[in-house]
Every structure is written in structure tokens, then in C-alpha cells.
Amino acid sequence: MSIFDVFAKLEAEKAQKAAPAASPVEWLVVGLGNPGDKYAMTRHNAGFRALDAYCAKTGQKIDRLKFKALTGEGTFGGARVLFLKPQTFMNLSGEAVREAAAFYKIPPARIVVLFDDISLDVGRLRVRPKGSAGGQNGVKSIIAQLGTDQFPRVKIGVGAKPHPDYDLADWVLSRLTPDEEKQFVPALARAAEAAEDVVRNGAAHAAQYFNGKSE
């Protein structure tokens, strides 16, 4: 190693020590869905797709496997957050959320969950500060694992079943029609914006600006 290499190494070490430590994670931002190409474009993957839309826009990465989820740290709504895409399949989503929340000591009030809602028309959003699962199994799992329903959520409308006798699982695992997709894609970007507003200003503020709106 030459004298120049030695000086370069010393300067690099000095710069590393002087660099400010990364801020601790303050929030979890969770998108719900099922892993695998088979499910990628289904109604049930609205949460995954909302985070993917945010990543495509900002360059954020959610690609580190941790807590039974794909994760990525970033700044979101002025806070340091951990983005989370559980890889357990929908019905066990709460396991990933519980593990991450316990590790970073994040209270439920700072866990924002994005997911599909069949009670809303395609492209409609609804922000809530808390509430029941409403039949959404991923949310049901999170409530069971955290022991509370007191966490904010951003619901993304995927449309109701076409007929009362239509199997619910078949419906949420179906793909949107081309016309529905045109309404859905802008809603995914807005859902991420709504989640960011929850982090920055609270669920009540986000609800005022995003609830019921569509392109």
C-alpha cells in the first residue's frame, strides 16, 4: 500500500466517523399483498402496488428481506420510516408487522397500513385512524398480532363483488379490468400520498383531503 493509499484510507475513516448517524426508525409504513408474480396485479395486492408506485416515483428501495418481509428504510412525511411488504401471504401479515414493531419499539399509532377494500369503488380512498378489519384478513392478522386495532390505515377501493354469491377469495384474487386499471393506477399514487400525510399531519388531516376522492 502506497503512502497515498494510506492517507486516502485515513480520510475515508475520518469522514465515516464524522458522518451523522442515521435517525432511528419512527414509523412503519406497511403495504399488504401476496408475494409472487401470480398475485402481483390482483385486487388484493393494492397495498404492495401503492408502495411500488411510490418507489417508482422516488427511487426508494424496498428489497431487503427482514422480519418476514421485504423492507427498506427512508424518509417519508418528514420522519424516518421502515417500509414493509410482508412476504408471509396475506393471512399472516401481522407476524411481519409485530416483529418489526417490536424490534424498533414502534407503537400501533405509528403503524400505517395500506390495503384493498371491496366496500369502496375502484380508485376511491378512505383514511381511518383505527377500526375493525372489515373482513380484510391481512388487517385481521395485524390486529390479532398487535392486540389492538388502534393503528391508522389507508384503504384503497377495488370494487364490490359483481354478485352476492360470488366467492370473495376469487374476487380479491382477480385482476382489474383494463378500464378499472385506468382508475386504479392514479389511486395507488394518491394512496402513498395519503399515507405520507398521515405520517406528517395525522390521520384526521389526511382523511379531510383524501377520503372518497378519485381521479
Side-chain angles (χ1 to χ4, degrees):
M1 180 182 291
S2 72
I3 187 67
F4 298 106
D5 292 330
V6 172
F7 277 119
K9 182 179 180 182
L10 290 173
E11 285 299 320
E13 291 176 351
K14 182 179 178 181
Q16 185 176 14
K17 290 178 181 178
S23 300
V25 170
E26 303 169 275
W27 287 75
L28 299 183
V29 178
V30 185
L32 297 187
N34 287 308
D37 293 342
K38 176 181 177 181
Y39 302 103
M41 301 299 288
T42 62
R43 298 172 195 271
H44 224 16
N45 272 38
F48 274 15
R49 292 187 64 186
L51 292 190
D52 290 344
Y54 177 76
C55 289
K57 178 181 178 181
T58 65
Q60 171 68 45
K61 301 293 185 183
I62 307 176
D63 56 7
R64 183 181 180 189
L65 191 58
K66 193 176 183 181
F67 308 121
K68 300 178 183 176
L70 289 177
T71 69
E73 288 189 31
T75 301
F76 188 73
R80 192 70 180 171
V81 310
L82 182 75
F83 296 98
L84 206 72
K85 294 169 62 178
Q87 300 295 291
T88 55
F89 287 92
M90 184 67 79
N91 292 4
L92 299 177
S93 298
E95 294 181 3
V97 176
R98 175 182 52 78
E99 289 186 17
F103 183 85
Y104 289 108
K105 298 180 173 58
I106 305 296
R110 290 190 177 183
I111 300 173
V112 187
V113 184
L114 299 90
F115 59 93
D116 58 292
D117 191 321
I118 64 168
S119 69
L120 298 173
D121 291 339
V122 173
R124 296 278 176 173
L125 301 181
R126 182 170 293 156
V127 180
R128 288 285 184 265
K130 58 185 178 180
S132 68
Q136 216 283 355
N137 287 334
V139 178
K140 187 184 299 183
S141 174
I142 294 172
I143 292 172
Q145 290 290 331
L146 296 181
T148 181
D149 64 1
Q150 305 290 298
F151 53 86
R153 66 283 308 267
V154 177
K155 303 178 181 183
I156 306 167
V158 296
K161 296 188 297 182
H163 188 276
D165 294 334
Y166 200 101
D167 183 77
L168 178 58
D170 287 344
W171 177 243
V172 296
L173 293 178
S174 68
R175 296 170 68 107
L176 292 99
T177 67
D179 285 343
E180 288 176 326
E181 190 72 16
K182 291 177 182 178
Q183 302 174 61
F184 196 60
V185 170
L188 297 172
R190 291 198 319 279
E193 292 171 4
E196 193 166 13
D197 198 21
V198 171
V199 173
R200 188 183 299 278
N201 299 307
H205 185 277
Q208 181 180 355
Y209 285 91
F210 291 94
N211 279 7
K213 295 181 179 179
S214 64
E215 290 293 322

